[in-house]
Amino acid sequence: MAFFPLASLRATIGTMVPPPRLPRGFFHKPTLIVARDLLGQRLVRLDTPPLRLESIILETEAYIGMEDLGCHARAGLTQRNASMWGEPGHAYVYFTYGMHWMLNVVTERRGLPAAVLIRALLPLQGIQVMSRRRGGKPLSALTNGPAKLCQAMAIDRRFDGHDLCAPEAQLYIEAAPAVSEECVIVGPRVGLTRVPEPWKSMPWRFQVSPAYATRLAEEVSLV
DNA sequence: AGCACGATTAACT
DNA sequence: GTTAATCGTGCTC
């Protein structure tokens, strides 16, 4: 019988076991908590096998309920925003400006319309494919915007209502080390024109600090 | 049926 | 800094 040192076996298994996917409970929480804690987590898009796209979440925004006049749910339940009213852990993907798709993750309990907009990512896997989908743009311009990241990762209306927690999900989020408090920048949401105060200025935008994002990018490039 | 607008982006001056 | 692109959506008539 062949001899396998235990440490070696563990190391091998360690590389084979995928990180756990974020469970529904991660999303069934106050939206600000989810938006903050999504920083550093890994967004995974399984495309035509064996293509697998993966990115680190760098920027998010919270949209919370009917009272939030910056939130699409302000006008009540409509065909477009229906996903936001459903079970947490599903995607809310919408179309805007006649050409752009946006990815949100639904939060809170069923019946409370809230979601987290994914605004920026750091590409990890499938960079060549993402660059092609982005018209050959450089790495720095692949996923540094909510519409850009959807184009890069081929996320469109097909994913509206997609259950990110289902075992067979083609779009999901994997657990990764949390980003510490001193590396998080909080500020007002962007792009809200014609939205009245106080909603326009609510500090519901969360970003990984540029310094830490650079550090993450360097770690990636070493692999 | 018609219309104003948008959780943006890229290409300008 | 400004602006055009481009069309689904939700609201009004």
Side-chain angles (χ1 to χ4, degrees):
Chain A
M1 226 178 193
F3 174 67
F4 287 98
L6 185 57
S8 165
L9 186 60
R10 276 191 201 284
T12 302
I13 291 174
T15 62
M16 286 162 49
V17 174
R21 297 183 186 191
L22 296 184
R24 189 144 347 259
F26 183 94
F27 306 102
H28 192 182
K29 283 186 290 193
T31 309
L32 292 175
I33 300 294
V34 179
R36 157 67 178 84
D37 289 349
L38 275 175
L39 297 181
Q41 307 306 296
R42 311 296 172 85
L43 181 67
V44 178
R45 162 80 161 96
L46 300 183
D47 210 322
T48 315
L51 183 54
R52 181 184 192 277
L53 307 176
E54 180 177 343
S55 306
I56 301 178
I57 297 175
L58 292 182
E59 183 181 345
T60 61
E61 278 178 2
Y63 290 85
I64 315 174
M66 293 182 68
E67 310 80 38
D68 175 8
L69 296 182
C71 180
H72 286 165
R74 62 182 174 271
L77 174 66
T78 67
Q79 192 166 5
R80 176 165 81 148
N81 69 27
S83 295
M84 257 200 296
W85 299 75
E87 192 176 26
H90 288 242
Y92 166 44
V93 179
Y94 70 89
F95 186 67
T96 191
Y97 291 105
M99 63 191 98
H100 300 308
W101 295 97
M102 306 275 175
L103 170 66
N104 296 254
V105 179
V106 177
T107 59
E108 314 264 3
R109 68 173 196 275
R110 180 182 286 280
L112 202 167
V116 173
L117 173 70
I118 308 299
R119 289 194 57 92
L121 305 170
L122 175 66
L124 286 187
Q125 255 184 51
I127 293 174
Q128 204 167 344
V129 171
M130 291 196 234
S131 180
R132 181 164 52 73
R133 290 196 174 123
R134 291 278 301 124
K137 293 271 187 336
L139 180 62
S140 60
L142 296 186
T143 55
N144 61 333
K148 298 180 192 179
L149 68 90
C150 283
Q151 187 181 18
M153 297 191 72
I155 295 166
D156 57 27
R157 73 180 319 129
R158 300 193 304 272
F159 286 96
D160 185 35
H162 191 78
D163 186 359
L164 307 175
C165 304
E168 71 276 15
Q170 292 189 101
L171 182 67
Y172 55 91
I173 303 174
E174 274 181 3
V179 174
S180 64
E181 212 56 45
E182 67 269 21
C183 298
V184 176
I185 296 175
V186 183
R189 298 175 293 183
V190 299
L192 300 186
T193 59
R194 293 171 153 263
V195 171
E197 300 292 357
W199 311 107
K200 189 179 166 73
S201 300
M202 288 301 225
W204 289 355
R205 180 193 195 194
F206 301 85
Q207 290 175 275
V208 172
S209 69
Y212 190 61
T214 300
R215 191 167 157 165
L216 284 172
E218 286 168 354
E219 286 176 18
V220 169
S221 65
L222 293 178
V223 175

